[in-house]
Amino acid sequence: VSMMDCQLALMENAVSRYLNAGEVPTRLGSRHPLIAPFQSFDTADLPIAICVDTEPQWHRFCHALGIDVLLHDPRFKDGPMRAARHAELEPLLNAVFARGRRDDFLEVLEAADVPCSPINSIPEVTEDAQVAHRQVLVEVPEASGIKYVGAPFHYNKAPVTGETPPPRLGADSEAILRELGRDDATIRQLREQGVF
């Protein structure tokens, strides 16, 4: 898997807008350039990510948060209008989210079938139940609990296994010298000279 290909695929929206419309994307923070609200918001305690992509979602979002007045505001009558007037919509939503806790908003929005998510810290991610289920974190055997993020691709009939720890300095020198065709006498001489 090419890392460069993956990066371009992740930026498909920006690349496509440039290639097909000549639009040079600018920095937008966490928000989406064509959909609103589709971004992160600060709540009274922790941030939350929201994605309101369709009109039914917009209606459920407004009902769930008790901001039905926005449904009748002509500035935000549809998705393109909300995206075009993002600078007017965002402060209104910031004020709503600032009044409550993230987990309370997650509960209300999930119940209303509005796409949303916590924005987790690294410790929260590493303790996530889905991360454990997917066996994303692996432990190096014989390395006193050293863990790392494993390969992100899994195969149906191949279990996720850990790696071996990195060799100690000189641990593989003899094997490498043998691969290079050195005989026992040469290897012994190099060891006696402190080469490895």
Side-chain angles (χ1 to χ4, degrees), residues 90-154:
E90 183 178 35
L92 300 172
L93 297 179
N94 281 337
V96 171
F97 284 111
R99 293 192 297 255
R101 294 176 54 249
R102 179 189 70 183
D103 289 347
D104 295 333
F105 286 118
L106 288 170
E107 184 178 336
V108 167
L109 292 171
E110 286 172 359
D113 197 24
V114 174
C116 60
S117 173
I119 298 175
N120 292 324
S121 66
I122 295 298
E124 289 170 323
V125 169
T126 62
E127 296 165 8
D128 187 90
Q130 185 66 8
V131 170
H133 173 74
R134 298 280 306 144
Q135 299 176 348
V136 177
L137 303 179
V138 293
E139 188 169 339
V140 178
E142 305 163 10
S144 65
I146 293 175
K147 294 180 181 180
Y148 63 96
V149 178
F153 43 85
H154 297 195

Side-chain angles (χ1 to χ4, degrees), residues 145-183:
I146 293 175
K147 294 180 181 180
Y148 63 96
V149 178
F153 43 85
H154 297 195
Y155 298 99
N156 287 343
K157 295 183 180 180
V160 176
T161 59
E163 299 287 330
T164 58
R168 300 243 180 242
L169 183 61
D172 295 328
S173 296
E174 187 172 325
I176 291 169
L177 289 168
R178 288 193 190 289
E179 281 182 35
L180 295 173
R182 303 304 186 267
D183 59 25

Side-chain angles (χ1 to χ4, degrees), residues 46-128:
L46 298 166
I48 187 172
I50 305 294
C51 170
V52 177
D53 191 23
T54 66
E55 291 311 303
Q57 287 174 353
W58 172 245
H59 284 261
R60 293 194 307 268
F61 174 79
C62 290
H63 290 312
L65 296 181
I67 52 175
D68 294 294
V69 66
L70 295 182
L71 294 173
H72 309 292
D73 190 320
R75 297 174 297 171
F76 313 126
K77 73 174 187 164
D78 59 26
M81 291 286 290
R82 288 191 297 277
R85 295 182 173 265
H86 176 269
E88 297 171 53
L89 177 60
E90 183 178 35
L92 300 172
L93 297 179
N94 281 337
V96 171
F97 284 111
R99 293 192 297 255
R101 294 176 54 249
R102 179 189 70 183
D103 289 347
D104 295 333
F105 286 118
L106 288 170
E107 184 178 336
V108 167
L109 292 171
E110 286 172 359
D113 197 24
V114 174
C116 60
S117 173
I119 298 175
N120 292 324
S121 66
I122 295 298
E124 289 170 323
V125 169
T126 62
E127 296 165 8
D128 187 90

